[in-house]
């Protein structure tokens, strides 16, 4: 019986030690995921700032620029004549090219054209002028201009597509403020949504037949859901103190391992 008692005691101590080690690892992993999310948000912001002088031109047929000396010449001629910009406008275009993707089939929508201006003021003036006219016609196609959003930001803005379609059908005015929000001017008042999930849920409550999106669970949320706390006897509580930084907890874990 004494040997059994000793072995049970050793097993309990090992379990407590394993629980403490797992808790430290989970806390370190959570901190690393938070850091990654923070860095990704910063990268998206920096990418957006690097594109702040750019616009995208949608709807220009593939090959429409082939008879010109360069894409820059084609774009400047298109923007001056299409939306009828003032003659005093100096575009000063630095670069222009189709998006870097394979050429689509003839029946598919054409690739957009990315244009970089030397000045944000010129870009803003061009956008406002085209938006006031709600686009312009070129070669029997309607041409539209928009900001050159970062891919992650563009994905979030596209999530509002169904909501915007239903609002248009009901003649409800809305706006899509930067970075990825939706401002809706209901009769009862103005509402600003921060995500497509929030917008869909509120519109459904208002009686609009919209698909309610389930809230996406982030990696950090899933880690927190699976994280457990040690039970029974506790090991050294000092090493798992929530007030310590993850670097200190990782160093403590390494010291225990040696």
């Amino acid at each position: 019986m004494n040997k059994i008692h000793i072995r049970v005691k050793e097993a309990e101590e090992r379990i407590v030690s394993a629980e403490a080690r797992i808790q430290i690892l989970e806390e370190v992993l959570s901190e690393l995921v938070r850091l990654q999310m923070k860095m990704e948000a910063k990268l998206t912001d920096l990418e957006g700032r690097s594109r702040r002088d750019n616009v995208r031109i949608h709807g220009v047929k593939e090959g429409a620029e082939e008879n010109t000396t360069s894409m820059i010449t084609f774009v400047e001629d298109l923007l001056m004549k299409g939306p009828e910009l003032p003659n005093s406008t100096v575009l000063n275009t630095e670069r222009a090219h189709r998006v870097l993707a394979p050429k689509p089939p003839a029946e598919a929508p054409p690739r957009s054209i990315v244009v970089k201006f030397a000045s944000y003021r010129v870009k803003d003036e061009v956008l406002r002028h085209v938006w006031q006219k709600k686009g312009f016609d070129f070669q029997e196609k309607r041409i539209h201009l928009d900001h050159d959003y970062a891919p992650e930001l563009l994905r979030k803005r596209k999530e509002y597509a169904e909501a915007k379609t239903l609002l248009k059908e009901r003649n409800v005015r809305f706006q899509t403020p930067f970075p990825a929000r939706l401002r809706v001017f209901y009769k009862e008042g103005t509402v600003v949504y921060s995500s497509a999930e929030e917008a869909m849920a509120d519109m459904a409550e208002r009686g609009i037949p919209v698909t309610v999106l389930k809230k996406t669970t982030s990696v950090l949320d899933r880690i927190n859901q699976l994280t457990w706390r040690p039970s029974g006897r506790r090991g050294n509580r000092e090493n798992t103190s929530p007030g310590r930084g993850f670097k200190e907890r990782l160093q403590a874990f390494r010291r225990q391992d040696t």
Side-chain angles (χ1 to χ4, degrees), residues 26-193:
E26 288 175 341
E27 291 174 353
V28 170
L29 180 59
S30 296
E31 293 291 345
L32 290 175
V33 171
R34 290 190 186 95
L35 179 61
Q36 180 190 6
M37 293 172 63
K38 183 178 179 180
M39 294 302 296
E40 287 179 349
K42 284 187 175 182
L43 286 174
T44 300
D45 179 66
L46 288 173
E47 185 176 3
R49 293 177 185 275
S50 69
R51 295 168 180 248
R52 67 193 307 267
D53 299 330
N54 299 3
V55 298
R56 287 212 181 199
I57 305 175
H58 302 277
V60 179
K61 292 181 180 180
E62 292 282 343
E65 67 278 9
E66 291 179 353
N67 295 326
T68 57
T69 57
S70 67
M71 179 64 83
I72 291 178
T73 302
F74 171 77
V75 165
E76 290 189 342
D77 186 64
L78 174 69
L79 294 178
M80 291 300 296
K81 295 180 180 178
E84 299 177 348
L85 292 174
N87 294 330
S88 59
T89 303
V90 180
L91 295 177
N92 197 11
T93 307
E94 289 190 349
R95 293 189 299 274
H97 59 82
R98 295 274 183 180
V99 295
L100 302 180
K103 187 175 181 178
E107 65 277 4
R111 295 170 296 173
S112 59
I113 299 175
V114 181
V115 182
K116 176 176 175 53
F117 296 105
S119 170
Y120 176 81
R121 292 183 178 180
V122 174
K123 172 237 180 153
D124 190 57
E125 179 184 348
V126 171
L127 273 181
R128 284 190 289 106
H129 193 84
V130 175
W131 285 349
Q132 287 174 359
K133 292 179 174 291
K134 297 183 179 179
F136 59 93
D137 293 323
F138 177 73
Q139 294 184 350
E140 300 179 352
K141 295 290 184 180
R142 196 66 179 171
I143 309 301
H144 299 278
L145 270 68
D146 201 355
H147 296 284
D148 182 28
Y149 295 109
E152 177 62 20
L153 197 57
L154 185 61
R155 181 190 65 80
K156 292 181 179 180
R157 293 178 70 88
K158 284 184 176 180
E159 292 177 351
Y160 292 107
E162 182 182 351
K164 293 192 291 185
T165 299
L166 292 172
L167 291 171
K168 285 181 181 178
E169 292 175 353
R170 287 159 176 75
N171 295 321
V172 179
R173 192 165 70 91
F174 64 87
Q175 296 173 343
T176 51
F178 186 86
R181 293 178 293 171
L182 180 66
R183 180 184 293 119
V184 184
F185 300 91
Y186 296 109
K187 293 181 180 179
E188 300 80 8
T190 304
V191 180
V192 179
Y193 303 109

